[in-house]
Amino acid sequence: GESVGLHLPTLSVQEGDNSIINCAYSNSASDYFIWYKQESGKGPQFIIDIRSNMDKRQGQRVTVLLNKTVKHLSLQIAATQPGDSAVYFCAETDPTGTASKLTFGTGTRLQVTL
Amino acid sequence: EAQVTQNPRYLITVTGKKLTVTCSQNMNHEYMSWYRQDPGLGLRQIYYSMNVEVTDKGDVPEGYKVSRKEKRNFPLILESPSPNQTSLYFCASSLFRRSYNEQFFGPGTRLTVL
């Protein structure tokens, strides 16, 4: 598969444990945030999003938390499974800039051990 | 099936030999974008298009051209490729909204310029 990052921060968790992946963003004007999952050899895949008027949003096994005060975003994965192994990116959109432009973080690799 | 397709998936070429990477989406999206992905740098936007005949530079446009003659297609053109353009390229599309856009990504094109 494709190598998307040779020196990415890596989070290693055991199957069944919960995972927390963190992201710091820099633009205080950003009002929309997305978490993407990228498996080896594939393009980024949407997981969950959150608007800046919320501080928490839940999906199936995933929760995103947004702390605008410290410009921090986190993705929580419950009961992590081997299929969750991937690189995870956060992305933000600044409504004052070009519409639809996403700015991506550098990513975190999640490794699920059996 | 709603999708973004890219061709070719893999390409090895030599410096200076013009090439085109095609991108097509079947979701009637207005917004399309090209990114490159390099180790440690995440995804960086090359060019984007907000609709037919409307294109603009992203963060790293040097050495690239694009065109948007039809809504579904957004080819990326490298007139004179150089080794520093060796990278993994992704095309993405979304509806055109000021914010709150989930971008759909293609599977990627691995380009090597010798």
Side-chain angles (χ1 to χ4, degrees):
Chain A
E2 307 297 346
S3 171
V4 302
L6 297 178
H7 304 292
L8 287 175
T10 298
L11 175 66
S12 186
V13 299
Q14 269 200 314
E15 182 180 6
D17 288 351
N18 297 334
S19 303
I20 300 177
I21 300 171
N22 296 304
C23 175
Y25 64 94
S26 57
N27 188 349
S28 57
S30 292
D31 71 343
Y32 177 62
F33 305 86
I34 306 177
W35 279 100
Y36 282 92
K37 173 186 181 183
Q38 188 175 21
E39 297 175 277
S40 183
K42 297 184 180 179
Q45 179 185 10
F46 174 91
I47 303 173
I48 191 168
D49 59 359
I50 188 168
R51 302 181 185 187
S52 61
N53 61 355
M54 304 169 69
D55 53 21
K56 180 179 180 179
R57 190 161 188 230
Q58 286 183 293
Q60 188 177 13
R61 277 202 312 118
V62 294
T63 301
V64 56
L65 299 177
L66 174 63
N67 184 331
K68 294 183 289 294
T69 303
V70 295
K71 297 200 285 282
H72 183 267
L73 197 65
S74 69
L75 176 71
Q76 300 179 358
I77 305 173
T80 311
Q81 302 169 359
D84 295 326
S85 293
V87 177
Y88 291 81
F89 295 94
C90 64
E92 58 183 299
T93 299
D94 177 353
T96 63
T98 304
S100 297
K101 183 180 189 296
L102 289 174
T103 300
F104 287 83
T106 53
T108 297
R109 186 183 306 279
L110 177 64
Q111 289 181 337
V112 182
T113 58
L114 301 177
Chain B
E1 180 190 354
Q3 60 182 350
V4 179
T5 57
Q6 295 178 227
N7 281 292
R9 293 290 314 277
Y10 302 90
L11 179 61
I12 300 174
T13 189
V14 295
T15 299
K17 186 177 182 181
K18 181 180 178 180
L19 66 91
T20 299
V21 183
T22 64
C23 172
S24 183
Q25 50 91 8
N26 61 2
M27 296 168 278
N28 202 35
H29 285 163
E30 299 93 355
Y31 185 89
M32 297 185 75
S33 182
W34 276 102
Y35 296 87
R36 61 179 288 172
Q37 186 174 40
D38 302 289
L41 297 176
L43 284 139
R44 294 179 292 166
Q45 190 180 54
I46 302 170
Y47 267 94
Y48 64 92
S49 169
M50 291 188 278
N51 215 323
V52 175
E53 302 292 0
V54 181
T55 64
D56 209 343
K57 296 177 181 178
D59 298 318
V60 288
E62 293 77 21
Y64 304 95
K65 285 174 58 177
V66 292
S67 70
R68 188 88 182 276
K69 293 183 170 50
E70 306 164 282
K71 197 172 187 180
R72 63 183 293 124
N73 296 322
F74 189 45
L76 179 69
I77 302 154
L78 284 73
E79 294 271 3
S80 182
S82 62
N84 65 11
Q85 293 177 298
T86 292
S87 188
L88 181 57
Y89 291 87
F90 290 101
C91 180
S93 74
S94 71
L95 292 171
F96 178 63
R97 291 192 289 263
R98 170 91 4 218
S99 199
Y100 318 133
N101 291 309
E102 174 190 348
Q103 290 197 20
F104 294 84
F105 284 81
T109 295
R110 167 66 73 182
L111 172 65
T112 301
V113 183
L114 302 174

